[in-house]
Amino acid sequence: MPGDALSRDPAELRKRIDTTKAHPARVYDVFLGGKDNYPVDREAAAAALAANPRGYLDVRHNRDFLRRAVHRLARGDGIRQFLDIGTGLPTAENVHQIAQRIIPDARVVYVDNDPVVLAHARALLTSGPEGRTDYIDADLKSPAQILEQAAKTLDLTEPVALVLVAVLHFVEDEEAYPIVRELVEALPSGSRVVLSHLTEDLNPENIRAVQRTYTERGFTFVLRSQDEVARFFAETPGLTLDEPGVVPVHHWHQDGAAPAPEQMDPARLAGLDDIEKVRYHDINDVTDADINVYAATGRKA
């Protein structure tokens, strides 16, 4: 069922698109091989890749963590409602596609505030015939608005999985921790949190170089330690970390090899620039020296 954001005049959405400034959702789209981005976004992605040539592994393994977490919660725990904040642009294996394969009547609400994401939201709303999928035009920094709108699709008296994947590092401490508390406090017992976050604990030189490329473009970019990521769980009443705790993203409940990339003729591949080649790289050759992302899930008592 389309949200109010989708009924807006496309011309009004276009007016909100700033093609002169990179946006995190669109830069993420570049690394995932998407096409819904602008030269300024590709420039930001290319600068980040130049700073850390294997940095695409952070993005791709973060996405694979999302796949594993949603699958685990839906199949293993029977979670049938998901609130995905900072979802970004539609790509392969969105939350509703994973969840509704397992639970056909699962309900999913996506939240983002980028007009390019909104303009493509109809692609996210191709739910299965039994499920419901909706989209909210809102900012993570407005949790009350998110909860009010989400309640039109989700039953907030029943467990919800709150998905905060690769979004909190764009928010400063004084806002980030209270936002998570407010969101989780509004959810019932049995709800879950799925969270990933960039860190400088693991390979500081590489990620600090990437951080500089983003902050130079005006992004807030907060790298948090393992303890600081765990604090999102420890300082939220009733929320406890699941095993194995806060761990490098590629170590969180591994379920075998990551999906194989699309194959391309080697001659054609050689003609692509470095950022275009990323989508064709196999990410199963990852090592601990490549990763700068922590992942964790938790349960509300």
Side-chain angles (χ1 to χ4, degrees):
M1 178 179 293
D4 293 341
L6 296 183
S7 63
R8 293 183 177 179
D9 182 346
E12 290 301 313
L13 280 177
R14 284 195 293 272
K15 289 178 184 177
R16 286 177 50 191
I17 298 172
D18 183 354
T19 62
T20 67
K21 183 178 179 181
H23 188 283
R26 301 195 307 258
V27 176
Y28 194 69
D29 181 64
V30 174
F31 278 110
L32 291 174
K35 303 298 183 185
D36 301 311
N37 48 69
Y38 295 95
V40 68
D41 304 307
R42 293 189 285 276
E43 177 187 322
L49 192 67
N52 180 16
R54 286 175 65 80
Y56 64 89
L57 289 163
D58 280 332
V59 178
R60 300 267 301 279
H61 276 280
N62 179 74
R63 189 75 186 182
D64 199 54
F65 159 65
L66 175 66
R67 175 188 64 81
R68 300 195 308 276
V70 172
H71 188 276
R72 190 176 183 87
L73 292 185
R75 184 173 298 283
D77 295 352
I79 298 294
R80 54 199 321 116
Q81 300 191 108
F82 295 81
L83 176 58
D84 183 1
I85 303 179
T87 182
L89 284 147
T91 185
E93 291 296 86
N94 298 292
V95 170
H96 75 281
Q97 293 166 321
I98 303 165
Q100 289 173 2
R101 274 200 302 269
I102 300 165
I103 302 175
D105 64 349
R107 297 183 176 200
V108 179
V109 171
Y110 295 101
V111 183
D112 211 297
N113 67 338
D114 178 35
V116 174
V117 175
L118 291 173
H120 290 81
R122 291 189 186 279
L124 283 172
L125 295 174
T126 54
S127 178
E130 298 174 64
R132 287 188 64 184
T133 309
D134 208 346
Y135 204 99
I136 297 173
D137 175 11
D139 193 293
L140 174 61
K141 296 180 181 180
S142 303
Q145 179 192 356
I146 289 172
L147 291 163
E148 179 184 3
Q149 294 296 315
K152 297 176 181 179
T153 300
L154 306 179
D155 179 354
L156 299 186
T157 68
E158 296 292 331
V160 175
L162 172 63
V163 180
L164 297 167
V165 168
V167 66
L168 288 166
H169 45 250
F170 297 115
V171 185
E172 298 286 0
D173 283 356
E174 62 272 16
E175 292 181 292
Y177 292 102
I179 285 169
V180 174
R181 282 197 297 273
E182 184 172 347
L183 288 166
V184 174
E185 284 172 356
L187 302 179
S189 175
S191 291
R192 307 299 293 272
V193 172
V194 177
L195 187 154
S196 67
H197 201 295
L198 283 166
T199 183
E200 62 181 351
D201 284 359
L202 305 173
N203 300 289
E205 184 176 345
N206 285 348
I207 196 61
R208 286 173 189 159
V210 173
Q211 182 185 39
R212 285 192 295 273
T213 71
Y214 280 87
T215 55
E216 286 168 359
R217 288 164 173 78
F219 292 164
T220 297
F221 206 82
V222 183
L223 301 172
R224 293 188 171 97
S225 69
Q226 187 177 41
D227 286 345
E228 288 168 330
V229 174
R231 186 179 150 198
F232 284 110
F233 297 85
E235 294 191 359
T236 301
L239 187 62
T240 57
L241 268 169
D242 296 325
E243 292 295 334
V246 177
V247 296
V249 67
H250 62 310
H251 290 310
W252 189 90
H253 290 291
Q254 296 167 308
D255 64 358
E262 178 184 349
Q263 297 298 303
M264 175 177 267
D265 175 73
R268 288 184 60 199
L269 185 64
L272 301 179
D273 63 29
D274 288 344
I275 199 65
E276 291 174 325
K277 290 178 182 176
V278 162
R279 65 180 296 183
Y280 302 103
H281 291 329
D282 187 344
I283 65 172
N284 288 297
D285 66 343
V286 64
T287 70
D288 290 352
D290 295 317
I291 293 296
N292 303 281
V293 183
Y294 280 131
T297 63
R299 181 190 305 267
K300 184 175 179 182

